[in-house]
Amino acid sequence: MLAENCIFCKIVRNDIPSKIIYENDETLAFLDIFPIAEGHTIVVPKKHYENIEAIPDEILISVIKIVKKLATLLHDKLNFEGYNILQNNFKAAGQVVQHFHFHIIPRNFNDSRFRLAIPREQAIEEDLDQILKIIKG
Ligand code: AMP
Ligand code: ZN
């Protein structure tokens, strides 16, 4: 996707409004417009990279440092009991905006709008060995 048409680039350029909570030279953080919970925040590099494979390591490091800083701030200021840091890559994984970003998603014990269901069925050892062989091969 071209940066000109990208919604997050438009936010960075101030072509469309957003509720910015933090900004520095490389990074911008703003409230998600379709929040899963109060305080749901998006943190982006100001430059357009599509996903984790495209973003240079130094910029990724800058962005994740801001994620940590803002997660701590939000946790301090808002009344929630935990949070998920989420980062989707490619459409199959639910990436809708093709501009690398982290979500900070506030969570509470009794919430129901966000579910990350991790199966509890243990793998067969031979299957793990086969995958390991492919990965390391
Ligand atoms: P993803 O599915 O990881 O690509 O998430 C993209 C996120 O961007 C979604 O949670 C959207 O609600 C959010 N989003 C899309 N447009 C805007 C916007 N104009 N301002 C703030 N958040 C947005
Ligand atoms: Zn962009």
Side-chain angles (χ1 to χ4, degrees):
M1 175 190 269
L2 288 173
E4 304 142 45
N5 305 324
C6 167
I7 196 99
F8 288 172
C9 285
K10 286 181 183 167
I11 289 175
V12 169
R13 291 195 302 265
N14 210 13
D15 287 350
I16 58 167
S18 68
K19 304 292 182 196
I20 293 172
I21 64 171
Y22 180 86
E23 177 167 18
N24 67 15
D25 286 350
E26 285 176 320
T27 311
L28 187 71
F30 49 89
L31 294 176
D32 195 302
I33 206 171
F34 298 104
I36 291 170
E38 260 179 37
H40 181 171
T41 294
I42 300 288
V43 186
V44 302
K46 285 188 171 175
K47 282 180 77 177
H48 182 92
Y49 305 103
E50 290 208 357
N51 52 50
I52 198 163
E53 296 176 21
I55 186 168
D57 289 356
E58 321 77 70
I59 302 192
L60 177 60
I61 289 165
S62 309
V63 177
I64 193 71
K65 282 181 173 173
I66 300 308
V67 169
K68 178 180 174 182
K69 181 187 176 75
L70 295 179
T72 307
L73 176 92
L74 293 168
H75 194 202
D76 185 42
K77 298 248 173 163
L78 301 178
N79 189 25
F80 56 77
E81 294 161 310
Y83 49 89
N84 293 100
I85 306 295
L86 180 68
Q87 199 276 303
N88 299 325
N89 295 281
F90 302 99
K91 287 182 184 163
Q95 184 178 7
V96 173
V97 178
Q98 313 303 315
H99 179 132
F100 178 89
H101 57 279
F102 284 102
H103 296 252
I104 305 170
I105 305 172
R107 300 293 309 279
N108 285 300
F109 281 110
N110 61 355
D111 66 22
S112 56
R113 291 191 75 186
F114 182 69
R115 279 272 166 276
L116 193 63
I118 297 172
R120 295 290 169 212
E121 198 176 316
Q122 194 170 341
I124 298 161
E125 194 176 351
E126 290 72 35
D127 290 350
L128 294 178
D129 286 339
Q130 208 185 338
I131 298 295
L132 201 61
K133 215 167 128 193
I134 296 168
I135 294 168
K136 291 182 146 186

